[in-house]
Amino acid sequence: LSSSSPARDHPHRTVINRGRTTVPIASSNSESTDVPEFEHFGVPGPRGLPPLTEYLDILDVDMMKKPNESNKMNHHTALYQSDNLIIRRGQEFEVKITFNRPFNSAQDKFAVEFVIGSSPQYSKGTYIPVFPTKDRQSPWAGRITNTSDNTITMGITPAADCIVGKYHMYVAVATPYGIRRTRRDISRDLYILFNPWVADDAVFLDDEKERDECVMSEMGIIYHGAYDDISERNWNYGQFNYGVLDACLYIMDRSEMPITNRGDPIKVTRKASAMLNSRDDDGVLVGSWSGDYSYGVAPTSWTGSTDILLSYASSKMPVCYAQCWVYAAVFNTFLRCLGIPSRVVTNFFSAHDNDGNLKTDIILDENGRIDRKRTKDSIWNYHCWNECYMSRPDLPTGFGGWQVVDATPQETSDGMYRCGPASVQAIKHGQICFPFDAAFVFAEVNSDVVFYSRKKDGTLEPVKVNRTHIGRLVLTKNPGDLTRRDITSQYKFSEGSTEERTVLEKAEEYGCKREKSNPALADVDLVLPTLEISVGDDFELSVEFINRSDQERTVDTYISGNVVYYTGVSSSEFLFRTPTVEIEPNQTVKELVSVQSKSYMKQLVEQANLHFIVTGKVNETGQIITAMKVVTLRNPKLSVEVSGGGKVNEEMMATVQFTNPFTFNLEGVYIRMEGPGVMSPKFKYYSLIPGGSSLTWAEFFTPQRSGSTRMIATLDCPALRQVYGQATITIEP
């Protein structure tokens, strides 16, 4: 008996199929089986192989795979930097086969065979022979489109629901003695992708402008900041860059996803939402919100997805570090690369609610001061996820179209950190029990913020409910230009409308608890201004109290200023004041609070957000009043300039300039730069930039293709995150 257990030998093989299936379930696209060059019919005679000279022999196979040839042009794959043929399913492509003599359809029999994975089977759709004659056809249609001397052109149409991935191709000829095949040749490997241009494909998107943006565009803009002060982050999705497609297929291999599931966009997107984060499956990205990124790249430093995906595929180790927009951006690359239309969406004031109800609870003590120990729910200033476009045959009619998928690990779904696909239409209509995870996304855009007053005996009494704060604005990039598009109305009906009430009631029927009580509104209003402040500025915060009653009001007020992460989690309090404010009947009083930069600069965490929360108790009525404001501090900018050439294959130069505006030194500075279609990612490290001094970094590049694009640059160091710049360039052919 062997003392070592199989589980110990294979720590990752927790599921063993021995005794359950005759062969292991094929779950790797990179593994393959050698197909024999000659398959006998029966037993060869005593003299070995018969002479096969009079039968058809294959001299050459032309995959017609150059970027300017018809296959890649017709299939919208000419931009992929790959030497192999890349086509989309449900649409005909052509290959040229040259025989040793003219093809005679009456007596010559041949087939073009496609094989994927380690145990190809016809019944599983992993071995597909394609025949040229009408009387014999397989699920993939075949026809001869042209004959010239010894060469025929074969048209092949992969089924619109076939497996997506990398196939080997063989040409097989039947002789009376057996089947003879072409040798395995990697130049004849081809990739088959999802096809949003074809009506029979589950990802069909019948809107050319939207499709062009959500499949073909490499240039992304991701929104962040605060809903009343929106910032933009440029991103290079790079889905056509060399090696990215193989990296996307490796992600599915790494997840041990059965090959046979890889034609179903619902299964592919759900699996990928788990695989893009490293929690529980060694996926692509390690999340970190800590502020210490010394063992990797700070989330704010990345300029695109290419480096991340290539690094994961080559090192086979999760890449450090990501936050929500990095997960969403890399997921977007994965989806667009495989041909699933997708876009990155930002939800401003996104509820991350810890206990599965439709309430975000903020707990105050009896005097109206926020109790940070007991307040567990957090409101993210913004949160990014993805929408991908597909039909949903598993749901009732009408719930196909845009689906939410989210790779940021927040909560587990069926035991793993993943989220979606959840139908946006189902979220809007409160159908939150539809798979997958619609209830979680519904809460992210629909929760109420409930302020509770905690009595001495520990009981909680709701004192204020804000029903409009969460899901204040949902944005994505406009197709075809650089402006933003408000898609809030796709997630919810307008606040206060009867439809909105109906939807919330429906969600409650499915088990989502809401705050029923409506505490009486106080007769004193509290207003906080919108401020535009740069990092390092002193400023004044003006808190406005409006008395709407006919009597005098006195408010014991707590003004708290905190440095917060964009996830709404507080890092440190830099300001605390407790003024008592007296307001005459029907009058307004402004309480001015001056803030010195030195009080917050030392505590700043990345994304430099200051969060002011003002709470107070009206002495005369006992009512609680509250107001919250997020102030996003503005960072200095990088200047990016591009000069020279302006033509394909002519050398150009990109120059980044930066001046340290502070009196202190910046240490450990990384600058990164890349440009979709024109420059691969580059970076430079500066150990020190003294206060007040400037730097210039220039890089040469040679654009490979024409059109309009952007050069994107970031500067990042522990003391200063999120410094960007960009330049728009137009390259002539």
Side-chain angles (χ1 to χ4, degrees), residues 195-237:
N195 194 346
W197 281 266
V198 162
D200 289 341
D201 196 310
V203 302
F204 174 59
L205 174 55
D206 194 15
D207 176 333
E208 192 177 345
K209 200 172 179 191
E210 194 85 70
R211 191 173 53 209
D212 202 49
E213 177 72 36
C214 294
V215 182
M216 302 301 290
S217 175
E218 293 174 276
M219 175 64 226
I221 298 176
I222 300 172
Y223 301 100
H224 65 109
Y227 90 99
D228 52 0
D229 183 16
I230 294 160
S231 307
E232 297 184 352
R233 177 183 271 113
N234 290 277
W235 193 272
N236 178 12
Y237 295 125

Side-chain angles (χ1 to χ4, degrees), residues 456-470:
K456 287 214 168 39
D457 62 2
T459 54
L460 297 177
E461 182 196 343
V463 288
K464 182 177 174 183
V465 180
N466 185 336
R467 304 198 190 276
T468 61
H469 184 72
I470 300 288

Side-chain angles (χ1 to χ4, degrees), residues 553-659:
R553 292 285 181 253
T554 311
V555 183
D556 290 335
T557 311
Y558 294 87
I559 302 172
S560 167
N562 291 268
V563 173
V564 292
Y565 294 97
Y566 81 94
T567 54
V569 175
S570 177
S571 112
S572 56
E573 188 171 64
F574 65 85
L575 171 93
F576 184 65
R577 301 268 160 61
T578 55
T580 297
V581 182
E582 294 179 357
I583 323 142
E584 296 297 319
N586 298 306
Q587 293 297 307
T588 296
V589 169
K590 285 190 174 168
E591 181 75 21
L592 285 180
V593 180
S594 67
V595 179
Q596 302 289 311
S597 66
K598 61 173 185 281
S599 67
Y600 68 78
M601 279 301 283
K602 282 278 180 278
Q603 273 102 313
L604 272 192
V605 290
E606 64 210 83
Q607 311 220 20
N609 291 310
L610 304 183
H611 185 241
F612 292 98
I613 180 159
V614 181
T615 57
K617 190 172 188 176
V618 182
N619 284 348
E620 291 80 1
T621 62
Q623 288 170 322
I624 299 277
I625 58 173
T626 67
M628 295 187 285
K629 192 70 170 180
V630 173
V631 177
T632 308
L633 296 179
R634 309 211 155 205
N635 278 331
K637 288 267 179 283
L638 275 184
S639 140
V640 182
E641 285 180 0
V642 177
S643 56
K647 289 202 167 85
V648 171
N649 291 328
E650 279 191 20
E651 193 172 64
M652 297 176 71
M653 186 167 75
T655 309
V656 177
Q657 285 183 305
F658 175 73
T659 302

Side-chain angles (χ1 to χ4, degrees), residues 17-32:
N17 280 310
R18 203 169 56 203
R20 211 184 89 189
T21 54
T22 50
V23 290
I25 292 171
S27 63
S28 173
N29 197 165
S30 54
E31 286 177 18
S32 58

